Amino acid sequence: MNLTDLIGIVAQVTEQPEAKVKDALETAIEVMADALADHESVKLPGLGRLDVCQVGMPRAVRVAPYGQTREMAPHAVRFRAVKRLKKEVNIRAAYV
């Protein structure tokens, strides 16, 4: 499912115009992206939780040309499904 499909389904279920649904979903996604960029947890009831976690060793990174050097580590977003979803969909099977 992509965003266009989701917009169509939500518009049909809620009987709202697709333009309103598109604006609402895009705003929600933008808010979640901002929260993840700030290393906050995003909890989605019925689905799970998105967390930002460190995936590598910190290394020296130059912030700007001729600027200061900072220690930074690579990060990734991790999805932790709720128990019901883990049982229904074997998420780890896709990575084997």
Side-chain angles (χ1 to χ4, degrees), residues 16-95:
Q16 295 292 319
E18 283 194 12
K20 277 187 174 181
V21 172
K22 180 181 179 185
D23 289 342
L25 288 175
E26 286 178 347
T27 302
I29 291 168
E30 192 174 309
V31 169
M32 288 187 288
D34 288 344
L36 290 168
D38 292 337
H39 295 260
E40 294 179 30
S41 223
V42 176
K43 297 175 187 172
L44 303 170
L47 285 178
R49 187 173 77 205
L50 296 165
D51 292 308
V52 176
C53 59
Q54 183 176 329
V55 294
M57 298 298 294
R59 62 180 189 271
V61 176
R62 182 162 289 160
V63 179
Y66 310 111
Q68 297 176 348
T69 304
R70 285 185 14 193
E71 285 282 320
M72 297 176 76
H75 289 77
V77 176
R78 180 179 64 185
F79 175 68
R80 299 179 101 185
V82 294
K83 194 177 288 187
R84 179 191 60 82
L85 187 58
K86 283 181 189 175
K87 288 179 182 176
E88 290 180 16
V89 179
N90 189 354
I91 294 173
R92 292 183 183 229
Y95 299 105

